[in-house]
Amino acid sequence: MTTLLINIKELIQVRETSIKKVSGAEMNVLPTIKNAFLLLENDTILDFGLMKNLSVSADKTIDCTGKMILPTWCDSHTHIVYAGNREQEFVDRINGLSYEEIANNGGGILNSAKKLQETSEEDLYKQSSVRLEEVMQLGTGAVEIKSGYGLTVDAELKMLRVIKKLRENYNLPIKATFLGAHAFPAEYKNNKEGYINLIINEMLPKIAEENLAEFIDAFCETGYFSVEDTDRILEAGKKYGLTPKVHVNQFTTIGGVQVSVKHDALSVDHLEVMNADDIKTLKGTNTMPVALPSCSYFLSIPYTPARDILNADLPLALATDFNPGSTPSGNMNFVVATACIKMKMTPEEAINAATINGAYAMNLSDEVGSITKGKKANFIITKEILSYGAIPYNFGSVLIDSVFINGKAI
Ligand code: NIG
Ligand code: FE
């Protein structure tokens, strides 16, 4: 079955040859073809080019006059699988409590863990699939999902099985990350060693046996997992073949970037606070820095210093961090807009960060993230817009006409 999209006002993020990521000044270059066609064969991109060079017909033709096409968003950092919500904590923060104070009072991650432990696997799947369908409608065509709201052997496995079931039932690429090291459960408050041993000796072997995760994460932060804890956990994860992707530098810079790079992490995520050494450490590595601007927005904390990162010739990816505490939103359109408005990224840099670099941060650069022959036909058709700058400019609007996953409109 072939599908031909014609009269595309602008075909965005066209890469003739498959690239893994873009860095530094290259990020300000977003290759496009104006007045283009795009040809699909089943679920794959077969060809594209200028309308005037179009010489083939197809089983089905779609006219895109006035509309643009870009690859679907690649959201490399989410916690979409969770139970219930934390609206009360949101109100508590409005009334003056800090995120940290709420967590210290037994709220925060432990609040979500309690809810998740009490929720059945079926119910958790149902709640999570609603969120996944919502973000797909918002243009996300590849997504990473973390565990980390279980914090017991059974509940962590329950979360990862839900992620597996989502992967089986939805046809977009879904990557699973084991985040047992998200917070210390109350019963281990005075026995941190005991919880780390539980992660290493009980959780990891079971996860590996059922093949439930590809990545390992830890919340490396003051009051959560120290650099030494993170070091042990990443090391143990690697023994089971899991690649590190790590929460670092959200509130404090304690050496999270350095320990992640030591373990050749695929990404370091958050980075709201960065010092000169953190930036220097990332140079010349394979580790993708990932910014989560809607988390900064929701918690009123600093934005990741994108300009410093790009000026150092580093790459940068953008993701949502969709979770019930710090970012109850999975809208990548808003992430792209906020990166432009608050982090001074250009539309070209933000779109590169949310597509090809997001794909890299999930090990998916060969499958998604650009309009390239042989890649998956996962793309967004926009509404009629004047330029792609409208996507960040009209922040809060969704300028999507339709979303295609594996060559089919969803
Ligand atoms: O990435 N920072 C750590 N974890 C999540 C939020 C956890 C929560 O508040 O539930 C994050 O922001
Ligand atoms: Fe997160």
Side-chain angles (χ1 to χ4, degrees):
M1 157 91 181
T2 52
T3 308
L4 185 59
L5 298 111
I6 58 167
N7 298 322
I8 304 162
K9 182 169 178 173
E10 196 162 0
L11 183 61
I12 299 161
Q13 186 63 303
V14 176
R15 303 282 176 175
E16 290 290 340
T17 52
S18 192
I19 52 163
K20 295 273 180 205
K21 61 178 175 187
V22 280
S23 308
E26 292 166 4
M27 284 192 67
N28 204 22
V29 180
L30 184 66
T32 73
I33 302 176
K34 289 185 174 153
N35 203 11
F37 74 87
L38 176 65
L39 179 64
L40 320 177
E41 184 170 40
N42 301 319
D43 60 351
T44 307
I45 297 172
L46 188 62
D47 200 8
F48 54 79
L50 286 164
M51 271 309 282
K52 65 170 193 220
N53 296 335
L54 174 63
S55 59
V56 293
S57 59
D59 301 327
K60 189 177 167 194
T61 301
I62 300 170
D63 183 24
C64 298
T65 300
K67 300 169 183 176
M68 302 192 178
I69 289 183
L70 69 157
T72 43
W73 306 125
C74 296
D75 190 353
S76 65
H77 182 139
T78 84
H79 310 247
I80 278 177
V81 173
Y82 61 82
N85 57 45
R86 308 225 299 268
E87 282 158 19
Q88 185 53 49
E89 292 182 8
F90 170 56
V91 176
D92 292 343
R93 278 199 300 112
I94 294 170
N95 287 325
L97 282 183
S98 70
Y99 182 75
E100 196 184 3
E101 285 165 335
I102 290 167
N104 291 341
N105 295 340
I109 295 166
L110 297 187
N111 181 359
S112 287
K114 185 165 179 286
K115 289 190 167 85
L116 190 137
Q117 287 160 14
E118 291 163 355
T119 303
S120 71
E121 194 171 311
E122 289 77 50
D123 191 11
L124 188 60
Y125 175 81
K126 259 191 224 146
Q127 294 186 35
S128 308
S129 60
V130 170
R131 292 182 203 113
L132 182 61
E133 286 179 23
E134 186 203 354
V135 303
M136 289 170 74
Q137 294 293 343
L138 290 167
T140 295
V143 67
E144 179 258 17
I145 310 175
K146 300 174 193 297
S147 72
Y149 288 120
L151 309 183
T152 64
V153 177
D154 285 350
E156 283 294 309
L157 289 171
K158 176 165 70 181
M159 285 190 83
L160 290 165
R161 289 186 190 123
V162 167
I163 300 172
K164 186 176 175 188
K165 211 193 278 178
L166 290 169
R167 186 185 308 118
E168 285 161 3
N169 293 344
Y170 292 86
N171 57 5
L172 75 169
I174 296 178
K175 295 284 182 132
T177 300
F178 170 52
L179 176 57
H182 200 189
F184 287 97
E187 58 272 35
Y188 287 95
K189 202 174 165 201
N190 299 314
N191 178 20
K192 296 194 166 178
E193 188 63 21
Y195 186 60
I196 294 170
N197 287 336
L198 188 77
I199 291 175
I200 294 176
N201 301 327
E202 309 238 358
M203 295 183 186
L204 269 171
K206 292 213 171 72
I207 290 161
E209 196 187 298
E210 283 189 49
N211 202 6
L212 288 172
E214 175 170 339
F215 304 120
I216 180 142
D217 194 348
F219 187 16
C220 182
E221 184 57 62
T222 307
Y224 292 83
F225 292 81
S226 69
V227 170
E228 293 69 34
D229 299 339
T230 305
D231 192 28
R232 276 186 66 199
I233 290 159
L234 300 185
E235 184 68 42
K238 277 167 51 184
K239 289 213 176 91
Y240 289 99
L242 306 187
T243 302
K245 273 172 74 66
V246 196
H247 281 75
V248 300
N249 293 42
Q250 183 176 5
F251 302 109
T252 54
T253 167
I254 58 172
V257 171
Q258 290 70 14
V259 72
S260 303
V261 164
K262 175 185 157 192
H263 289 287
D264 199 19
L266 182 61
S267 71
V268 281
D269 303 36
H270 273 288
L271 310 175
E272 288 87 341
V273 288
M274 292 280 273
N275 64 28
D277 186 59
D278 294 328
I279 290 186
K280 207 172 117 212
T281 301
L282 287 166
K283 293 199 76 157
T285 71
N286 299 316
T287 304
M288 175 65 69
V290 180
L292 310 166
S294 36
C295 175
S296 299
Y297 176 84
F298 191 70
L299 293 185
S300 300
I301 60 174
Y303 288 87
T304 302
R307 293 264 52 100
D308 295 346
I309 291 171
L310 298 187
N311 288 342
D313 208 24
L314 291 170
L316 184 64
L318 289 166
T320 63
D321 199 17
F322 194 174
N323 76 75
S326 72
T327 325
S329 164
N331 187 345
M332 281 294 285
N333 308 282
F334 180 77
V335 165
V336 167
T338 308
C340 294
I341 296 162
K342 294 292 185 185
M343 293 159 63
K344 301 269 178 276
M345 292 177 76
T346 63
E348 289 78 11
E349 288 168 342
I351 292 172
N352 273 316
T355 55
I356 188 67
N357 283 0
Y360 178 93
M362 293 185 274
N363 249 340
L364 284 172
S365 293
D366 293 336
E367 257 180 74
V368 289
S370 64
I371 304 293
T372 302
K373 288 175 202 170
K375 279 199 181 182
K376 267 190 188 305
N378 290 11
F379 56 86
I380 294 168
I381 305 181
T382 69
K383 292 182 178 163
E384 293 191 19
I385 53 177
L386 288 177
S387 79
Y388 58 73
I391 298 169
Y393 171 77
N394 291 108
F395 77 96
S397 296
V398 177
L399 300 177
I400 294 175
D401 170 278
S402 47
V403 178
F404 279 65
I405 302 285
N406 292 333
K408 287 207 183 75
I410 58 165

